[in-house]
Amino acid sequence: MLHTACLRQTFVRTRTFASSSVACKNKAIVYRKHGNPSEVLSILSFPDLPPPPPNTANVRFRLSPINPADINVIEGDAPVYVGGNEGLAEVVQVGDGVRQLRKGDWVVMTKPQIGTWTSARNVDVRDVLKVPSDLEEAQAATITVCPTFLIVSGANPRCRLKVNPPTAYNMLHDFVHLEKGDWVVQNGANSAVGQTVIQIAAANGWKTLNFSPIWVPPRSQLMTNFPDKAFKDQVKTWTGGQSIKLGLNCISGQATTMMVRLLGQDAHLVSYGAMSREPLSVPTSLFIFKNLTCHGFWQSLWYSRKSKQERERLMENLVGLMRHGKLRCPEHEVLEIGGSEGDEEKISKVMKRLRDGRYGRKVLLKLQV
């Protein structure tokens, strides 16, 4: 399990987080025990950061998304930690030896669970990647190439990948050579990854067959009759009889067992989640007669195996799609935390709705100083 960054590691040289003699303008959203995020999160104030040590930079976070994986981390087991895994920050000061960054640059995190729900922190320059400052803040904040993988929860492991453009981009490019007019089928199409898949596919002339909802409850009767012959015939009409080469799965369970039957000869199924909390079950006949190939995808593993140049090229490709209006940031709202007495209650309400899956859009934190 990946843990969020401990406060003692996050603010290495900060001696205290609240003092009557020191002005504590900065804020961080932290938790001292694990549990329901709507109950265990609190706001901590801390002084300005000291000058950055060599090969590091002090940054001020502009926007920090709240992801499902962040909530699951808080439900785990660890001491006092700053929440958050991704975010857009602005460099405010660099230490000796730093050549690739300067004051005012925008950066995103490349180290998992670095702790981004804070107004400021010191970072190793190896753990950030510069992004163009001409993007919208929300675009840059959600383009993060930093991966997240979770989750072990009791006897029902839940595997979720952080929803972000790199996940969608790599799954579309790494497993099958798609040509203009080719078809991709996916479930969880209304998730952030699913919506990004649709946009990237459209930008490349690929067509998508999309199924929702994002989550199918265990033992659900939903889609039990799918796909019958009439529906398969309808799919053939939609695709013009073309074979579907690639399937993307974030639900698993019965929903994917049914979806995979729509794939054509020599197709590939890529699984990056199991939101139904059920195992993936694929008929043996599909391997024998259709030569189906199944893969698992974890952005963290991709990232660990790629060079800095390859990671930067991925970022450039995504930025290019955004600049040309072919990749939009997900529907979102900004939650501003400004130091008022009602801030913790505000966070609690948002976390409860997110935890219950009732928010419907991404929440971006902005901690005012």
Side-chain angles (χ1 to χ4, degrees):
M1 179 181 289
L2 298 173
H3 296 292
T4 47
C6 184
L7 281 176
R8 288 187 295 272
Q9 297 170 338
T10 302
F11 309 108
V12 178
R13 296 188 178 183
T14 302
R15 295 178 178 273
T16 179
F17 300 110
S19 169
S20 59
S21 61
V22 178
C24 299
K25 297 186 299 182
N26 289 300
K27 300 174 184 64
I29 298 175
V30 304
Y31 50 103
R32 292 173 173 79
K33 63 179 181 180
H34 282 258
N36 188 328
S38 65
E39 299 173 357
V40 301
L41 290 174
S42 60
I43 298 175
L44 182 69
S45 297
F46 61 96
D48 288 340
L49 299 178
N55 300 312
T56 71
N58 288 347
V59 299
R60 175 177 62 86
F61 281 91
R62 301 178 69 94
L63 288 176
S64 300
I66 302 175
N67 295 300
D70 299 324
I71 293 174
N72 296 133
V73 169
I74 296 167
E75 294 172 330
D77 181 20
V80 183
Y81 288 123
V82 177
N85 183 63
E86 65 176 334
L88 169 68
E90 181 180 338
V91 176
V92 296
Q93 191 177 10
V94 298
D96 293 339
V98 177
R99 299 289 182 266
Q100 63 270 51
L101 295 175
R102 64 179 63 184
K103 183 178 179 180
D105 283 347
W106 282 11
V107 294
V108 294
M109 309 300 109
T110 61
K111 181 180 180 180
Q113 301 301 338
I114 201 169
T116 60
W117 296 353
T118 178
S119 54
R121 64 163 297 151
N122 176 259
V123 295
D124 191 308
V125 294
R126 295 171 296 182
D127 297 332
V128 298
L129 189 64
K130 184 177 175 180
V131 296
S133 57
D134 61 342
L135 294 176
E136 296 178 10
E137 284 190 351
Q139 287 180 318
T142 55
I143 200 175
T144 310
V145 295
C146 171
T148 297
F149 181 76
L150 209 53
I151 297 149
V152 177
S153 177
N156 295 308
R158 289 176 286 170
C159 301
R160 299 181 184 174
L161 187 66
K162 184 165 90 170
V163 286
N164 55 25
T167 301
Y169 187 93
N170 288 327
M171 289 193 300
L172 286 170
H173 287 83
D174 288 4
F175 299 96
V176 178
H177 176 68
L178 295 171
E179 298 179 348
K180 188 173 182 179
D182 282 342
W183 282 85
V184 177
V185 63
Q186 66 167 337
N187 54 33
N190 58 337
S191 69
V193 167
Q195 290 296 302
T196 305
V197 164
I198 293 170
Q199 294 178 70
I200 294 176
N204 286 275
W206 308 326
K207 301 177 181 179
T208 54
L209 181 60
N210 304 289
F211 293 102
S212 298
I214 183 174
W215 180 69
V216 179
R219 296 172 295 280
S220 171
Q221 295 304 306
L222 184 64
M223 301 172 73
T224 53
N225 297 320
F226 161 72
D228 58 18
K229 184 178 184 303
F231 185 80
K232 287 183 177 179
D233 290 342
Q234 180 64 64
V235 170
K236 287 183 179 179
T237 300
W238 289 335
T239 62
Q242 284 185 260
S243 176
I244 300 176
K245 293 185 176 181
L246 178 65
L248 305 178
N249 163 49
C250 69
I251 293 179
S252 296
Q254 186 182 44
T256 303
T257 303
M258 300 302 179
M259 184 186 77
V260 75
R261 295 182 183 275
L262 299 175
L263 293 174
Q265 193 73 26
D266 300 318
H268 293 250
L269 175 70
V270 182
S271 295
Y272 64 104
M275 301 187 76
S276 67
R277 306 188 193 181
E278 294 181 348
L280 175 63
S281 179
V282 179
T284 303
S285 60
L286 298 182
F287 295 104
I288 296 174
F289 301 114
K290 284 193 171 183
N291 195 32
L292 175 69
T293 303
C294 291
H295 311 265
F297 182 78
W298 181 20
Q299 183 67 27
S300 181
L301 186 60
W302 183 96
Y303 185 86
S304 68
R305 291 179 172 178
K306 301 299 180 179
S307 66
K308 181 180 179 181
Q309 290 72 26
E310 289 173 307
R311 297 194 296 266
E312 289 177 343
R313 186 159 55 248
L314 169 63
M315 177 68 74
E316 291 170 359
N317 290 335
L318 293 172
V319 168
L321 288 170
M322 288 182 171
R323 281 177 169 160
H324 288 89
K326 296 181 178 180
L327 180 59
R328 304 180 306 274
C329 59
E331 185 179 354
H332 64 276
E333 72 174 48
V334 176
L335 176 63
E336 294 192 3
I337 303 299
S340 67
E341 292 183 0
D343 281 345
E344 290 191 359
E345 182 181 356
K346 189 190 302 185
I347 293 170
S348 177
K349 289 181 179 179
V350 168
M351 289 296 175
K352 187 176 188 306
R353 289 182 63 192
L354 287 170
R355 188 170 184 261
D356 294 341
R358 294 187 290 109
Y359 218 93
R361 56 190 177 276
K362 184 175 282 291
V363 178
L364 307 177
L365 283 171
K366 180 181 274 296
L367 281 77
Q368 305 283 11
V369 296

